[in-house]
Amino acid sequence: MIQKPRGTRDIVPPESKLWVAVEATAHRVFQAFGAEEIRTPVFEHTELFVRSVGETTDIVHKEMYTFADRKGRSLTLRPEGTAGVARAFLENSLDQRPLPQRLYYIGPMFRYERMQRGRYREFRQIGLEIIGAASPLADAECIVVLFEFFTALGFDNLTVHVNNLGDPEDRPRYGELLRSHLQGVRDQLCADCQRRLEENPLRVLDCKVPTCKAITATTPGMEAVASPASRAHVEEVTSLLTSLGIPWQHNPRLVRGLDYYVRTVFEVVSPELGESTVICGGGRYDRLLADLGGPEIPGVGFAIGEDRLVEVLPPAFAAKVTAEGRLYLIPLGGETAFFGLQLARDLVRQGVPVELEVSGRSLKAALKRADKLGFARVAIFGEDELARGVVLLKDLRAGSQTEVSPVQLAEIWNAEAQP
Ligand code: HAM
């Protein structure tokens, strides 16, 4: 039998219910903060990611699914969402609409990574970008939306790690600082880092090779050379977080794996997955749109790894979502099957989720199935009930039953569904 490619996943029932519920919550919370959905292609011209994510990053260097199409054009399955959103923003002249714009997306991303828990080659992100606002308020708003989303899912144990990556003008100074700091140990760094030290010094702090990690553990962070304006910006963001009661901590080692960031960067870790499996990452990217050939429009955003998020969902949310919330309709022979189909349609039209027994099970077999699948209530109707214009509504948890008219079914259901 043919199996799925390594690093991909099938999301099948009952787990798929969790995904639907998480995504519905994202649509609801993000839209409530004024965000609009944007959908961009799953593949883009390779050049887009090289220019935005950065040539010297691991993502571009080692992890992209790049291929030539039939005309020999180099295309890449998107490794992340921000570059495509920025491109689409410019290409569709969204900058002609009032700024800022809050755009969100949910969809698959692709990175050729070594497989481990929470790390896949096809994974899904839920992301938000606020484009066209330079103020620290926008960074703080991003994190507020993020935490409202997490709270709606029942999380109460998450912390956001924050760092300041300074402005692009600060980078050459950081290169000098790092090179002088690492002078004596330079040749102990991996070949990649020796190259990074010249080309893109910040990336040295992102190296996963243990000897490089050990060597750079005590090097000064980017903040040592950050401009006063960038410091004031990030300090304002964190003071807003403090005032809002959002748990945050300063993490000077946080550099993020993408090159477009300036000033604020942040990540969210869950106690369950630990610091090496980040649930969400984001930050400010004020030069990205200009680097892609557009006007100078600032941006800030984040993306959540949905696969990782679903893995650590609070049990109460998961239990609520997976509870069987439909009414099981059990026709008992003769004309009742057709009546059942009509009843199913009527009930759905009135907002009652149903499952119609279509396999002709006996009452005993149907009740056994209801029990196994966790249905709380079933409606049973034989020819006798139909003749009298009633159905038997059975509450399997309470062990009670009543005869009601089909019209009453929706009324009873909807009344009980009210909180
Ligand atoms: P990122 O940190 O590369 O940022 O990815 C965001 C999140 O995607 C990670 O925190 C993680 O949860 C998830 N993720 C990344 N790689 C994998 C993988 N191989 N398997 C499973 N989950 C993964 C970005 O992509 C930026 N575009 C975020 C952003 C938006 N910055 C500003 N706006």
Side-chain angles (χ1 to χ4, degrees):
M1 211 187 58
I2 299 172
Q3 295 186 333
K4 63 184 178 326
R6 203 172 149 73
T8 64
R9 316 173 67 199
D10 297 315
I11 294 159
V12 297
E15 198 203 335
S16 55
K17 273 190 172 182
L18 295 175
W19 288 73
V20 172
V22 163
E23 289 171 15
T25 308
H27 286 290
R28 178 173 62 74
V29 174
F30 291 7
Q31 286 177 18
F33 279 97
E36 298 166 286
E37 188 175 14
I38 182 163
R39 301 186 188 195
T40 64
V42 162
F43 57 85
E44 298 268 4
H45 291 294
T46 303
E47 182 63 17
L48 174 69
F49 303 114
V50 174
R51 275 177 50 189
S52 56
V53 174
E55 206 153 5
T56 53
T57 59
D58 277 358
I59 295 179
V60 169
H61 204 57
K62 307 180 185 158
E63 296 171 357
M64 294 209 301
Y65 278 92
T66 297
F67 57 97
D69 73 1
R70 287 176 184 274
K71 290 268 167 63
R73 286 170 287 238
S74 181
L75 300 174
T76 294
L77 297 184
R78 62 182 184 192
E80 61 103 46
T82 311
V85 170
R87 181 208 46 73
F89 187 88
L90 297 172
E91 193 167 338
N92 294 280
S93 307
L94 294 187
D95 55 327
Q96 300 305 313
R97 302 168 81 211
L99 297 177
Q101 282 172 50
R102 298 166 177 87
L103 302 168
Y104 75 93
Y105 50 91
I106 302 175
M109 310 291 160
F110 305 85
R111 294 182 194 176
Y112 192 89
E113 293 208 70
R114 218 157 36 84
M115 284 275 299
Q116 60 189 63
R117 184 178 176 204
R119 197 170 289 282
Y120 308 101
R121 291 181 178 169
E122 182 195 29
F123 59 97
R124 283 133 286 262
Q125 284 186 348
I126 300 176
L128 172 73
E129 313 291 354
I130 303 183
I131 300 184
S135 138
L137 262 184
D139 312 40
E141 187 189 276
C142 263
I143 299 173
V144 167
V145 177
L146 181 62
F147 270 70
E148 279 312 293
F149 174 59
F150 284 143
T151 304
L153 298 176
F155 284 99
D156 58 5
N157 58 354
L158 302 177
T159 303
V160 56
H161 290 205
V162 183
N163 195 18
N164 179 5
L165 291 191
D167 287 318
E169 299 74 41
D170 306 333
R171 300 281 156 91
R173 267 183 286 142
Y174 188 63
E176 276 165 38
L177 181 74
L178 206 58
R179 281 191 289 272
S180 76
H181 195 86
L182 298 175
Q183 216 165 22
V185 288
R186 202 180 175 124
D187 48 1
Q188 292 168 36
L189 294 169
C190 72
D192 276 345
C193 277
Q194 298 194 20
R195 186 174 42 81
R196 288 174 186 139
L197 206 49
E198 298 310 321
E199 293 174 357
N200 192 351
L202 251 193
R203 291 268 75 83
V204 174
L205 301 194
D206 199 30
C207 184
K208 290 168 191 95
V209 175
T211 45
C212 296
K213 273 187 146 174
I215 292 172
T216 57
T218 54
T219 51
M222 184 68 207
E223 265 168 329
V225 298
S227 67
S230 81
R231 279 169 199 251
H233 181 103
V234 179
E235 275 162 23
E236 176 65 15
V237 176
T238 51
S239 98
L240 287 166
L241 296 182
T242 303
S243 307
L244 288 157
I246 293 177
W248 69 276
Q249 74 187 53
H250 177 224
N251 180 352
R253 314 309 297 171
L254 183 62
V255 290
R256 310 272 304 123
L258 306 98
D259 272 352
Y260 47 64
Y261 292 114
V262 299
R263 301 191 171 190
T264 321
V265 285
F266 56 91
E267 287 186 348
V268 177
V269 294
S270 100
E272 266 162 87
L273 291 174
E275 293 200 11
S276 57
T277 313
V278 174
I279 311 190
C280 171
R284 178 161 279 284
Y285 47 86
D286 290 350
R287 309 290 166 95
L288 174 61
L289 280 90
D291 286 347
L292 293 177
E296 288 206 0
I297 300 176
V300 57
F302 63 77
I304 299 163
E306 193 179 0
D307 301 72
R308 297 179 185 179
L309 181 72
V310 169
E311 204 177 320
V312 294
L313 275 178
F317 180 84
K320 202 172 88 199
V321 168
T322 47
E324 182 49 72
R326 291 171 299 168
L327 176 63
Y328 187 23
L329 306 177
I330 309 175
L332 297 175
E335 289 298 307
T336 61
F338 177 66
F339 172 78
L341 204 50
Q342 279 181 315
L343 181 61
R345 188 175 63 179
D346 286 348
L347 287 170
V348 166
R349 284 179 180 171
Q350 293 172 83
V352 183
V354 299
E355 178 170 330
L356 175 63
E357 169 53 50
V358 290
S359 306
R361 281 185 174 80
S362 68
L363 181 58
K364 194 170 156 212
L367 288 177
K368 209 166 140 190
R369 180 168 181 274
D371 187 45
K372 195 167 156 196
L373 294 179
F375 282 97
R377 276 175 299 186
V378 300
I380 304 164
F381 37 94
E383 300 222 289
D384 168 52
E385 280 80 17
L386 284 202
R388 291 189 292 116
V390 294
V391 300
L392 196 62
L393 181 62
K394 212 168 157 57
D395 185 326
L396 298 179
R397 302 228 171 107
S400 59
Q401 59 184 49
T402 43
E403 277 190 355
V404 300
S405 78
V407 184
Q408 281 175 296
L409 271 179
E411 283 165 25
I412 295 171
W413 185 279
N414 289 329
E416 286 184 10
Q418 301 310 318

